Amino acid sequence: MQALQPTSQRETIFNNEVISRFELYNSLFLTLPFYKVKDTGTLLPLFIKSCEDGVKNHETPHKLIEEFFAKYTPNTNPQDIIDLLFRFIQYIERQVVLFDAVEDASFNKLNVADEQTSLRALFLKANDDKKLHRKVDHLIEEFSLRLVLTAHPTQFYPGSVLAIINDLTTAIRSNDISTINQLLQQLGKTPFFNKKSPTPVDEALSLAWYLENVFYFAAANIQAGLNQLLSEYHIDPKKVIELGFWPGGDRDGNPNVHPETTLQVSRMLRQILFRCYYRDFRNLKRRITFRGVEDHIATLHDVLYKNAFDSNIELKDISPFIIENLNKIKQTLVSDHGGLFSDLVDDLLRKVELYRSHFASLDIRQDSRILRKVHAYCREQKPINSLFSKDYDQLPEAEKLKALTFKNAKIIYSGQQDNLIEDTLQTIAQLQQMQAENGEEACHRFIISNCQQASDILQLMELFLWNGWEAETLTIDFVPLFETVNDLAGAGEIMEALYTHPFYLQHLKRRGGKQDIMLGFSDSTKDGGYLMANWSIFKAKVALTKVSEEHNIKLAFFDGRGGPPARGGGKTHRFYASMGKEIANKNIQLTIQGQTISSQYGSVDSAAFNIEQLINAGISSGVKEKHNVLLDKANYTILDSMAKDSYDAFLALRQHPLFLPYLETLSPLSLLSKITISSRPVKRNGGEALKLDDLRAISFVTSWSQLKQNIPGFYGVGTALKNQEDAGNWEQVKNTYQESGYFKTIVDNCMMSMSKSDFAITAYLAKDKKFGEFWKVLHNEFELSKKMLIKLSGHHALMENYPVEKRSIAIREKIILPLVLIQHFALEKLQHDLNDEKRQAYEKLAIRTVYGIVNAGRNLA
């Protein structure tokens, strides 16, 4: 396990290895003659300085930019100004990439091994403690970590750019100036995104780059280290790491995902995996040239080659066959050749045991409201129509549960099917084919988003029985997703109804008595604000753990976490390490999305480090099995009261008549649908007027982050803390902060979110006739939150205890400050009457700034 260096030492390394290198390579970068635009590299530093001075003086972006061009490029026409701003954007986008590469190149120096906090240290301690030894053995047997890569509108780099970033990081690590210069030139001439929106298959292919180039190696390396540790303590190897995948399977609100898409992605993952296997096998074959293994080598070569490159072969799960032959090769090496090169066989064996024939499990996700429509449609068809009353949909929930029959039937479909109905029915039938081709693990989970009642799950199970599945062989796990504050509050009651339902209980027994439950941070934050979202999820986890334990169900929480704290990101492993025995934590599952993929899992080293952190967090939390102090009456009461106050403040803000107009006018929200980096619409009801409830959480959070206000990551926290201080409860709040790692992590992540905010950029709005007073409301809560959080933590500034991360954020924010101001400039221009040509130019200008701003934040959206 790796841990952070001492703070002062890390700061020194960061200054020498990151800041100094970036300044050196950036000076080289600014001299490159890109795009035949004279003096762009010379003008950019002057523009950056003008932006910084303008913000200090609270100038409007329009005035700032107009004065800059009047001073440095007089007599320039408006079109030339737009062209030059585009060149600035292109440079800055690539400066962000350069800083990422420099920072990633220093990863191992900033994060060094600390044996005191490793799993090995835990095992050593267990040597002298039999009770601890038994507990560790049991935990290892039960523990698993599932990382699920999700399609995400801010993870837009194509494979060509990812490869350059990877090579650039390697060159920087070895100070290869010549190669760095060439790669920077290549980066400057390589498009960062497509001219048209990607399909879900395109997104899957882009994301699969990480599977092939990072996770394939990182997860196997971690598993190898764990197996070695277990063998030293005479414990059988245990598969701990699982990979999941959403692109192509997640159809919630995405009309571009179809059954053929899902099948195509499943097959694509399979083919990429077998190409990885074949690449490794060729290295193995070059070394194992001994007698006694020729037949097995030839057989595996033929099988792996055909599965990697022949699109006409019959697809089936051949992983047992590969494992069998690899084991026979290893046996011969050990018995006849002194075990020479058996480590190569072990490496490939480990990978096949981890990834089988599917690489990553493809999850299916659909909204409960769509699934209810499908069930209603099927009830109208023969012979199902005779089983249900006409008023079924109006029945109370208890009556609905009694009306469900779970009878197998072959429906005779008649009439025209809605596209979403057709998609659901075809996907259900198709899952059997996918499991036959890639194995059961290839696609075995159906996630029901917006799950609000037990019948949402049970009706979906009936759909499976009506479309080719048998109850006894229903190899599907049904996963409710609870997202809003209200849904989270009622989650325990819904699961109680399912656990006591005879049909569902029988299904769970056939599935090993295990239930996965997904909890969504994004929508709960949009719905109730930062503090209420975190507290609602905490309480839901406690309630769900309790009801699951009462029914002897093995519970695994699947956390839908986005990149920023507003969507559940931040110091994620600290959340898991701080769980008490009241929250199931033996199976950690979480989504990895957006810039979190590239920032935390962009290289083999960083991926291995973060995987280790999560594994250690889960194991150490389970070993301690400590009581969670937030459940003590005093702590619980104070958090409950603060969450309510925060929720009330956030709800009042949401209900403000200027809330949505402010976001639509001053952020690029209304333009996000025109960004060609996602196959998914920015809102669920694509053809209707914009409503806050229909707006996707990612679009909501992204818009606030573009404004550099990050409202979903802090709003209401200051009010909640001040209310407690005014009520004379400040000492109790401090005690809760000091005693609870969970609450401390919430505070730390909130401070991170605020560190990526800068109200000085929009300070000119204080005098705006329409939005001035509303801006002051936002700014006042920010200042109050900052003051109260600093007081609570005992620090003098935000993120004082994370100086390196704070410095990294500051540099990134400085790099992209011009992008933010260019965006405001373009959006202000769009408020005026323009001809079509100028409107398109300013829209394109505003849209182009979004990419770099998001990338610089790494976990902003």
Side-chain angles (χ1 to χ4, degrees):
M1 170 62 197
Q2 295 174 312
L4 300 179
Q5 294 252 24
T7 299
S8 57
Q9 189 177 351
R10 287 190 77 227
E11 286 185 84
T12 302
I13 293 171
F14 187 79
N15 290 335
N16 294 337
E17 296 289 332
V18 178
I19 296 176
S20 297
R21 277 179 167 183
F22 174 69
E23 290 173 350
L24 171 65
Y25 298 136
N26 190 41
S27 62
L28 170 68
F29 185 61
L30 286 172
T31 64
L32 296 177
F34 294 145
Y35 304 107
K36 301 179 183 178
V37 179
K38 185 181 178 183
D39 297 330
T40 304
T42 305
L43 284 171
L44 182 55
L46 297 173
F47 184 63
I48 292 170
K49 182 68 168 61
S50 295
C51 289
E52 292 171 350
D53 291 343
V55 167
K56 286 179 185 175
N57 297 327
H58 296 174
E59 292 179 7
T60 68
H62 181 271
K63 180 183 177 184
L64 184 159
I65 290 174
E66 295 279 350
E67 289 182 349
F68 171 81
F69 285 107
K71 181 177 180 180
Y72 293 104
T73 61
N75 304 318
T76 304
N77 64 52
Q79 185 55 50
D80 288 340
I81 289 176
I82 291 175
D83 289 343
L84 191 50
L85 289 175
F86 271 116
R87 306 312 166 210
F88 286 163
I89 292 170
Q90 289 169 326
Y91 265 88
I92 293 168
E93 284 173 340
R94 286 155 178 80
Q95 282 181 311
V96 171
V97 169
L98 176 60
F99 188 78
D100 282 348
V102 171
E103 203 167 40
D104 290 345
S106 306
F107 184 87
N108 286 337
K109 292 183 179 179
L110 286 167
N111 303 276
V112 298
D114 180 0
E115 290 299 327
Q116 300 306 309
T117 60
S118 67
L119 282 180
R120 183 172 293 279
L122 183 60
F123 274 86
L124 284 171
K125 188 178 178 182
N127 273 344
D128 303 319
D129 187 335
K130 290 184 179 179
K131 184 179 178 182
L132 179 61
H133 200 293
R134 285 194 299 271
K135 188 176 286 187
V136 171
D137 285 0
H138 186 63
L139 271 170
I140 291 292
E141 182 60 34
E142 290 193 331
F143 183 80
S144 67
L145 169 67
R146 177 179 289 218
L147 302 174
V148 182
L149 278 66
T150 72
H152 199 279
T154 58
Q155 184 53 51
F156 69 92
Y157 288 141
S160 56
V161 174
L162 290 171
I164 295 171
I165 295 171
N166 191 58
D167 294 343
L168 184 59
T169 301
T170 302
I172 290 172
R173 196 176 287 132
S174 58
N175 288 317
D176 184 349
I177 299 292
S178 176
T179 301
I180 291 168
N181 185 47
Q182 287 183 328
L183 290 170
L184 288 176
Q185 292 189 56
Q186 182 186 1
L187 191 69
K189 295 177 179 292
T190 302
F192 268 37
F193 51 88
N194 301 317
K195 290 187 177 180
K196 61 179 183 178
S197 295
T199 67
V201 176
D202 294 332
E203 288 178 325
L205 188 59
S206 177
L207 211 52
W209 186 92
Y210 291 96
L211 286 178
E212 180 180 2
N213 295 283
V214 178
F215 286 94
Y216 178 75
F217 301 102
N221 292 346
I222 295 296
Q223 189 68 55
L226 184 61
N227 288 353
Q228 173 64 33
L229 178 62
L230 295 177
S231 69
E232 291 173 18
Y233 288 87
H234 309 292
I235 300 172
D236 292 335
K238 164 71 169 59
K239 177 182 173 180
V240 168
I241 304 165
E242 301 169 353
L243 298 178
F245 204 73
W246 270 23
D250 178 16
R251 58 239 308 128
D252 177 16
N254 191 342
N256 301 305
V257 177
H258 307 291
E260 58 270 24
T261 306
T262 307
L263 187 60
Q264 190 176 346
V265 170
S266 180
R267 289 173 175 173
M268 180 196 75
L269 290 175
R270 186 185 200 280
Q271 187 170 46
I272 289 173
L273 174 63
F274 275 95
R275 287 179 181 175
C276 291
Y277 287 160
Y278 181 72
R279 178 181 60 200
D280 282 359
F281 182 77
R282 286 185 64 190
N283 293 331
L284 182 152
K285 185 182 176 184
R286 288 178 66 187
R287 294 289 169 264
I288 302 177
T289 53
F290 320 135
R291 294 194 182 280
V293 297
E294 303 96 321
D295 290 345
H296 297 302
I297 290 285
T299 297
L300 282 177
H301 183 275
D302 184 57
V303 167
L304 292 175
Y305 181 84
K306 286 181 177 177
N307 279 271
F309 301 106
D310 187 350
S311 57
N312 296 316
I313 63 166
E314 179 188 355
L315 300 180
K316 59 181 179 179
D317 179 13
I318 59 169
S319 56
F321 178 80
I322 298 172
I323 291 170
E324 179 187 356
N325 278 272
L326 286 173
N327 275 320
K328 287 179 179 177
I329 292 171
K330 182 180 176 181
Q331 289 166 10
T332 303
L333 293 179
V334 171
S335 61
D336 299 349
H337 304 288
L340 187 60
F341 298 129
S342 62
D343 58 322
L344 296 179
V345 182
D346 282 335
D347 180 62
L348 185 53
L349 256 175
R350 192 160 41 245
K351 288 168 179 170
V352 178
E353 287 166 348
L354 274 176
Y355 312 125
R356 312 301 289 192
S357 292
H358 65 279
F359 213 159
S361 294
L362 194 60
D363 285 341
I364 306 297
R365 183 174 73 139
Q366 185 55 282
D367 190 282
S368 64
R369 290 164 290 193
I370 301 299
L371 298 174
R372 289 172 205 158
K373 289 179 181 177
V374 180
H375 193 263
Y377 170 79
C378 289
R379 293 199 310 269
E380 296 172 353
Q381 311 300 315
K382 294 179 180 180
I384 304 300
N385 57 355
S386 63
L387 299 177
F388 293 90
S389 64
K390 295 289 185 183
D391 64 345
Y392 172 83
D393 283 327
Q394 282 69 51
L395 294 176
E397 174 70 358
E399 294 301 312
K400 279 185 182 177
L401 299 188
K402 291 178 183 178
L404 297 172
T405 61
F406 302 102
K407 291 184 177 180
N408 281 87
K410 184 172 178 58
I411 296 179
I412 304 168
Y413 292 110
S414 62
Q416 188 69 29
Q417 291 181 357
D418 175 276
N419 287 341
L420 290 173
I421 292 174
E422 184 179 9
D423 170 74
T424 302
L425 296 176
Q426 286 187 19
T427 300
I428 288 171
Q430 185 178 276
L431 287 175
Q432 288 179 312
Q433 179 183 354
M434 292 166 61
Q435 290 191 355
E437 291 181 354
N438 292 9
E440 182 186 315
E441 289 180 81
C443 192
H444 65 93
R445 298 203 306 186
F446 201 120
I447 299 165
I448 301 91
S449 56
N450 194 42
C451 186
Q452 297 179 327
Q453 49 205 21
S455 57
D456 286 335
I457 300 275
L458 298 173
Q459 287 176 177
L460 176 58
M461 297 180 78
E462 278 203 321
L463 291 178
F464 272 78
L465 300 182
W466 298 340
N467 289 277
W469 292 79
E470 301 286 337
E472 292 74 19
T473 54
L474 184 51
T475 50
I476 300 292
D477 297 309
F478 297 92
V479 183
L481 167 52
F482 303 111
E483 300 175 89
T484 67
V485 171
N486 285 337
D487 290 348
L488 288 164
E493 187 179 337
I494 291 173
M495 295 315 298
E496 172 73 28
L498 286 170
Y499 292 155
T500 55
H501 191 281
F503 182 82
Y504 192 75
L505 192 56
Q506 280 299 115
H507 176 72
L508 278 186
K509 287 179 180 177
R510 286 191 289 265
R511 300 299 292 162
K514 182 183 174 185
Q515 173 69 56
D516 293 354
I517 297 176
M518 187 173 182
L519 303 174
F521 278 77
S522 301
D523 280 286
S524 53
T525 304
K526 181 168 78 82
D527 181 46
Y530 178 72
L531 191 55
M532 177 57 93
N534 279 281
W535 184 236
S536 296
I537 288 169
F538 176 85
K539 291 197 296 182
K541 283 191 171 185
V542 171
L544 290 166
T545 301
K546 184 173 183 290
V547 71
S548 297
E549 287 178 348
E550 287 172 353
H551 292 277
N552 199 29
I553 302 297
K554 300 173 191 172
L555 175 60
F557 286 118
F558 177 24
D559 290 319
R561 294 176 174 272
R567 298 183 56 241
K571 303 288 183 182
T572 305
H573 67 282
R574 296 185 186 276
F575 274 112
Y576 293 111
S578 65
M579 298 297 164
K581 61 184 179 180
E582 295 83 5
I583 293 179
N585 206 30
K586 292 175 183 175
N587 305 102
I588 293 177
Q589 302 180 16
L590 68 155
T591 54
I592 308 172
Q593 49 187 274
Q595 301 322 111
T596 307
I597 299 173
S598 53
S599 64
Q600 296 185 10
Y601 300 90
S603 69
V604 174
D605 289 337
S606 60
F609 174 79
N610 284 290
I611 290 170
E612 278 187 331
Q613 281 203 315
L614 287 168
I615 291 173
N616 286 9
I619 297 291
S620 61
S621 172
V623 167
K624 294 173 187 173
E625 280 201 357
K626 58 188 180 300
H627 168 73
N628 198 304
V629 296
L630 287 186
L631 293 173
D632 293 342
K633 186 176 180 181
N635 293 327
Y636 186 95
T637 302
I638 210 86
L639 255 295
D640 213 43
S641 176
M642 285 173 58
K644 184 181 183 303
D645 288 349
S646 175
Y647 176 71
D648 289 343
F650 187 77
L651 203 60
L653 182 71
R654 271 185 45 141
Q655 292 170 347
H656 193 290
L658 289 178
F659 184 79
L660 209 51
Y662 180 88
L663 209 53
E664 285 188 283
T665 305
L666 298 170
S667 84
L669 174 62
S670 60
L671 298 176
L672 292 181
S673 61
K674 298 182 180 182
I675 293 181
T676 57
I677 55 175
S678 173
S679 71
R680 181 191 288 186
V682 299
K683 58 191 181 75
R684 283 182 167 84
N685 292 328
E688 298 180 11
L690 181 63
K691 298 177 186 174
L692 189 56
D693 289 342
D694 292 333
L695 185 64
R696 288 190 175 280
I698 179 173
S699 307
F700 179 72
V701 173
T702 298
S703 298
W704 284 112
S705 68
Q706 294 285 309
L707 270 166
K708 290 295 157 194
Q709 293 177 358
N710 291 330
I711 294 301
F714 74 85
Y715 198 91
V717 173
T719 294
L721 288 169
K722 187 70 173 77
N723 288 353
Q724 292 304 318
E725 182 183 51
D726 292 345
N729 298 330
W730 189 247
E731 286 304 312
Q732 178 57 55
V733 175
K734 283 172 60 179
N735 289 340
T736 303
Y737 173 77
Q738 290 162 5
E739 291 178 5
S740 170
Y742 188 88
F743 183 44
K744 188 171 286 187
T745 304
I746 290 173
V747 169
D748 284 351
N749 284 343
C750 185
M751 286 201 258
M752 181 201 296
S753 190
M754 295 180 71
S755 295
K756 295 180 181 182
S757 302
D758 187 356
F759 275 80
I761 294 172
T762 50
Y764 67 91
L765 288 172
K767 298 177 182 178
D768 188 87
K769 290 182 180 179
K770 182 176 181 180
F771 295 116
E773 292 305 313
F774 185 76
W775 181 89
K776 290 176 184 176
V777 170
L778 304 177
H779 181 242
N780 289 342
E781 182 64 24
F782 176 85
E783 290 298 328
L784 178 61
S785 298
K786 180 179 176 180
K787 173 187 172 184
M788 299 308 298
L789 287 171
I790 288 173
K791 183 175 182 179
L792 177 62
S793 62
H795 299 155
H796 296 94
L798 297 173
M799 289 189 73
E800 186 179 292
N801 52 334
Y802 296 105
V804 170
E805 288 80 357
K806 181 179 180 179
R807 188 79 190 278
S808 175
I809 289 171
I811 294 169
R812 291 170 180 279
E813 294 302 311
K814 182 177 180 178
I815 292 171
I816 53 94
L817 175 63
L819 296 185
V820 179
L821 293 170
I822 291 171
Q823 183 183 105
H824 282 271
F825 167 76
L827 291 172
E828 195 275 335
K829 288 285 188 181
L830 289 169
Q831 300 307 309
H832 303 288
D833 288 332
L834 301 170
N835 61 39
D836 288 345
E837 183 180 353
K838 284 189 176 180
R839 179 163 294 279
Q840 288 178 11
Y842 285 119
E843 281 187 356
K844 185 178 179 184
L845 192 64
I847 288 168
R848 279 297 305 275
T849 62
V850 172
Y851 309 121
I853 295 171
V854 169
N855 277 335
R858 278 207 158 184
N859 70 346
L860 266 181

